[in-house]
Amino acid sequence: RKEVEQDPGPFNVPEGATVAFNCTYSNSASQSFFWYRQDCRKEPKLLMSVYSSGNEDGRFTAQLNRASQYISLLIRDSKLSDSATYLCVVNLVAGRRALTFGSGTRLQVQP
Amino acid sequence: NAGVTQTPKFQVLKTGQSMTLQCAQDMNHEYMSWYRQDPGMGLRLIHYSVGAGITDQGEVPNGYNVSRSTTEDFPLRLLSAAPSQTSVYFCASRGRRGGSSTDTQYFGPGTRLTVL
């Protein structure tokens, strides 16, 4: 079992749609959670951190469910520019500060 | 700030050759790491460092060496290149001294390596 698992997709959605991605992680002691975005052949960039109470940044909402060990990302009103791969990232080991990345979920927003 | 820089951007090697991928950051970050990214595999941690003079192995360290003589630089050495090392390599840095596990990790632009 992978330490951080994501559905690879691709998710093909029309502009304006709402889309949600889930990610599960294996270590219940994990401390920190993030969503990164990666455009084709580019480096990953932080989209948002995920906090225990859930958090929102514009059209993006991230949630954490510690009991079930998953995090989610909701994108509302999808734009063409949202097309990218979304990486679920977890700080699995307390104190080591090494991040573990999921394989990514590819999103394609179509006109 | 330049952020995290990597050189070269592209490299082609023959099997058995050695080379060093360079990585530097100007954000005074303590924590630096190297990842490789292969199709469908996500980013896998090769080696990391929590400060100058301190390095440790990640998930896939075989065939690679690292050193951290300064805070700014974290080179990755391929000792004897193999076709299985064909990949995109990303260097990343994160966190100043006293920082937390929620610190943002910044990536360099990557090095695309092909081993023939």
Side-chain angles (χ1 to χ4, degrees):
Chain A
R1 184 189 169 190
K2 289 183 182 177
E3 293 178 307
V4 179
E5 288 204 73
Q6 294 182 251
D7 181 343
F11 284 60
N12 295 304
V13 303
E15 269 186 292
T18 296
V19 61
F21 310 135
N22 283 340
C23 162
T24 58
Y25 60 93
S26 61
N27 188 339
S28 60
S30 299
Q31 288 189 324
S32 309
F33 309 89
F34 311 88
W35 283 101
Y36 274 68
R37 170 190 169 132
Q38 187 174 26
D39 294 294
C40 188
R41 300 180 71 79
K42 299 279 192 180
E43 72 272 25
K45 292 184 178 176
L46 178 68
L47 178 66
M48 59 196 302
S49 301
V50 186
Y51 301 119
S52 297
S53 54
N55 48 299
E56 192 174 300
D57 183 1
R59 297 181 293 109
F60 300 85
T61 301
Q63 294 200 310
L64 168 64
N65 185 319
R66 284 193 184 271
S68 301
Q69 293 179 214
Y70 78 82
I71 67 174
S72 63
L73 177 68
L74 181 79
I75 306 175
R76 289 182 299 278
D77 189 22
S78 299
K79 311 289 184 193
L80 293 175
S81 57
D82 293 334
S83 297
T85 296
Y86 291 83
L87 303 171
C88 172
V89 185
V90 179
N91 193 156
L92 286 174
V93 181
R96 201 184 79 169
R97 302 181 71 195
L99 299 180
T100 301
F101 286 73
S103 307
T105 298
R106 200 165 131 240
L107 172 65
Q108 186 67 46
V109 181
Q110 294 162 339
Chain B
N1 286 352
V4 182
T5 58
Q6 288 183 240
T7 56
K9 289 189 177 171
F10 301 93
Q11 183 70 51
V12 179
L13 293 177
K14 293 181 181 176
T15 297
Q17 286 185 311
S18 62
M19 80 158 294
T20 299
L21 308 186
Q22 301 292 344
C23 174
Q25 53 90 11
D26 60 0
M27 296 175 281
N28 201 30
H29 285 167
E30 291 293 319
Y31 189 89
M32 296 185 75
S33 49
W34 276 101
Y35 294 85
R36 60 177 288 174
Q37 187 173 35
D38 303 295
M41 299 285 291
L43 285 101
R44 292 184 291 169
L45 184 66
I46 305 171
H47 284 285
Y48 65 98
S49 168
V50 299
I54 307 169
T55 64
D56 204 348
Q57 295 182 349
E59 183 186 352
V60 288
N62 292 342
Y64 308 95
N65 273 358
V66 291
S67 59
R68 185 96 179 269
S69 56
T70 66
T71 300
E72 294 79 18
D73 300 298
F74 190 44
L76 177 74
R77 277 183 290 279
L78 279 71
L79 308 172
S80 176
S84 61
Q85 293 179 305
T86 294
S87 190
V88 180
Y89 291 85
F90 289 103
C91 178
S93 77
R94 179 180 187 221
R96 298 198 175 104
R97 189 178 294 278
S100 80
S101 61
T102 60
D103 289 337
T104 299
Q105 178 151 291
Y106 297 91
F107 285 85
T111 294
R112 281 152 184 81
L113 176 68
T114 301
V115 183
L116 303 174

